[in-house]
Every structure is written in C-alpha cells, then in structure tokens.
Amino acid sequence: MKEISYLERGVLMKSFIELKNVKKTYIVGEQKFNALDGIDLSINQGEFVVILGPSGAGKSTLLNLLGGMDSATSGDIYIGEDNIAKFNDKELTRYRANDVGFIFQFYNVMPTLTVEENINLIKDVTNTSKNSKEVLESVGLLMHANKFPQELSGGEQQRVSIARAIMKNAPILILDDSTSAVDTATDAKIRQAFREYLPGVTKLIIAQRLSSIEDADKIIVMDKGMINAFDTHENLLKNNEIYSEVYESQVNGSGDFDKIGGDE
C-alpha cells in the first residue's frame, strides 16, 4: 500500500521545516569534528531556499539530515509535525519514500529503460497524478521520450532525474548542485517547471548559478558548520558585506559563491 505525503494530505504550513540546536559530529580517530554545530532554522512550506558556503561548511551534511539520509547527533528536526531526528531506520526509509525528492549531481537513471519509462517508475511507489509527457515537455525532453539514457548527453540525463523528481511531487525537493550539468537556457526552463509543477513543494538547493540565487525566496549562508546568515537575496546584498562583495564579483565574472564565509 502506498503511503500519503504531506502534500497529498492537503497540509500547508509555515515553519514546515524547523531545526532546533542540530549538531552532527563525526569522530575520526581520537578527534571530534562538528560538521554541524548548533543549527537553528525555520523554513516555510513552498519556499525555494539556496544554500551557499565554502567547501566543508556543512551544506551537504545539512541536506543529508533534511533528506533522512543521515541522523543528527543531537537536536530536533521537525518536518511538519514529525521530529525525524527521533525516527528509527524504518521510519526514515518511509519518510524518504513519501516526503522527499532527490536530484543529485549523478543521474541515477536505469540504462535499460527509456526516458519516459525511467520517470514513470515513480508511479510504482507514489500516488502521483502528474502526466509524464507534460513533465518531459516541461524540461525539454519530450522529443527524447523513447530514447535510452546512453543516447543522451550528460545534461539530458540530468534532466531525466529532474523530471523524475517533478513526477514524484514530494513535499520536499533536495538538489545538490544538480543543475550544473545543463546550460543556462535549460536551467531557466527547469526553474520555470519547478514554479509551474511544484508550487507547494519546499525546494532546497546547493547552487552557484546567479539565476538560481536570484530566484530564491531565502538564502542560507553557511560557514564552519554554522549558519552565518539567512535572509532574502536583496537583504543580504544590503546587509552582508561578504555576500554582496562575492555577488558583485560574480556578476563581473570573477567571483565564486563557494568562497562565501570562507577564509581568504
């Protein structure tokens, strides 16, 4: 029997994602390393949130915890009414299946299935009502519906995984810099598809492209396992000197958002 997600229950709420003093500690030999060091965060349902920061800031660790792929060392992670930090392995598996869509840098497509068959796999495990051909059209893949993955470019295979996530229509969509393999025109089309087909979905993305950052409802700036800033793009430009300097540098073609908050 297929479980029902928050979106299918018709649950809409502010503070849909709420983290309270979340820590993730790794032990390497005799050393302890805090990948996340006391994170407090509140994200409303349907918001598009971009996560920025230097390498090692904790961006992927944060996404892994929100996606139920790892567990916090301490603290609380509320998704709706559920504290997933207290979930056991079976509960986390159910949460990942029902409430989270993933798009990674690697494509995870089935080589023996066509493009359309790949995205229709979602129908076996979810209650999605989305039309596969409409979804393929939204990411510019309808003409390739009957092709196999090996007949596609890397960017096109990435779009297959994006289309599959749109088909799933989970309440949370997690993207780990996953539009980096597509050109800017396709990136714009994908962002439009997110707006059109996933309006109530909370989208969390590690991104470097200006277009993604400017489209975001909120931006999380991370450094050394902590949140340095959490605000809109406009407010960060006004109030966060490091963010505004790196943004202006990237506009001029020389900046790197991966350096935000990092040591010089």
Side-chain angles (χ1 to χ4, degrees):
M1 180 179 175
K2 298 173 184 176
E3 302 275 348
I4 335 179
S5 72
Y6 272 96
L7 280 182
E8 292 165 325
R9 293 176 214 159
V11 177
L12 294 171
M13 58 185 70
K14 292 188 174 181
S15 299
F16 178 56
I17 297 174
E18 191 165 4
L19 283 70
K20 298 180 179 180
N21 196 26
V22 171
K23 297 183 180 182
K24 179 62 183 179
T25 303
Y26 295 102
I27 299 176
V28 182
E30 296 181 357
Q31 300 295 317
K32 287 185 177 181
F33 167 66
N34 290 324
L36 295 179
D37 194 6
I39 297 292
D40 292 300
L41 182 64
S42 181
I43 297 171
N44 296 336
Q45 187 160 12
E47 284 190 317
F48 172 33
V49 178
V50 166
I51 306 172
L52 303 175
S55 178
K59 304 185 296 292
S60 292
T61 302
L62 177 60
L63 287 187
N64 287 342
L65 295 187
L66 291 174
M69 294 181 290
D70 202 354
S71 299
T73 303
S74 62
D76 298 306
I77 304 173
Y78 286 95
I79 307 295
E81 301 165 350
D82 299 319
N83 186 356
I84 68 167
K86 308 302 182 186
F87 278 7
N88 57 35
D89 288 344
K90 184 177 180 180
E91 290 168 326
L92 281 175
T93 299
R94 186 168 60 244
Y95 164 71
R96 288 192 300 269
N98 300 328
D99 290 313
V100 188
F102 297 98
I103 307 175
F104 297 111
Q105 288 175 320
F106 46 91
Y107 314 131
N108 281 341
V109 293
M110 299 292 290
T112 59
L113 299 179
T114 67
V115 168
E116 188 166 11
E117 287 169 344
N118 260 282
I119 73 166
N120 276 328
L121 282 174
I122 289 299
K123 292 182 177 179
D124 294 334
V125 293
T126 69
N127 294 308
T128 183
S129 60
K130 293 193 177 297
N131 180 283
S132 59
K133 286 185 168 51
E134 289 181 1
V135 170
L136 288 174
E137 174 66 24
S138 75
V139 297
L141 283 178
L142 184 58
M143 68 185 75
H144 301 307
N146 295 317
K147 289 184 179 179
F148 291 92
Q150 59 268 30
E151 300 177 80
L152 306 177
S153 68
E156 287 166 341
Q157 289 186 51
Q158 184 70 321
R159 279 186 270 164
V160 176
S161 65
I162 290 167
R164 190 168 51 203
I166 293 174
M167 279 288 288
K168 186 176 181 180
N169 197 34
I172 297 172
L173 179 60
I174 288 177
L175 307 93
D176 192 350
D177 204 16
S178 50
T179 59
S180 57
V182 301
D183 58 43
T184 52
T186 302
D187 180 50
K189 190 165 189 173
I190 289 167
R191 286 184 285 109
Q192 175 59 34
F194 287 161
R195 286 190 290 270
E196 182 177 348
Y197 287 93
L198 304 175
V201 172
T202 306
K203 295 163 281 288
L204 302 138
I205 179 173
I206 295 173
Q208 305 299 328
R209 272 195 172 136
L210 281 173
S211 53
S212 295
I213 291 157
E214 291 169 338
D215 265 7
D217 295 308
K218 296 281 182 62
I219 295 166
I220 299 171
V221 180
M222 296 191 68
D223 188 29
K224 299 175 183 175
M226 295 181 284
I227 292 179
N228 176 276
F230 179 47
D231 212 329
T232 63
H233 168 67
E234 291 77 11
N235 286 342
L236 286 173
L237 279 179
K238 293 176 186 175
N239 304 319
N240 190 294
E241 185 176 352
I242 295 174
Y243 180 87
S244 59
E245 285 179 1
V246 176
Y247 175 81
E248 293 300 331
S249 296
Q250 191 174 94
V251 168
N252 296 324
S254 59
D256 186 354
F257 278 109
D258 194 51
K259 293 183 173 61
I260 286 181
D263 297 329
E264 295 295 328

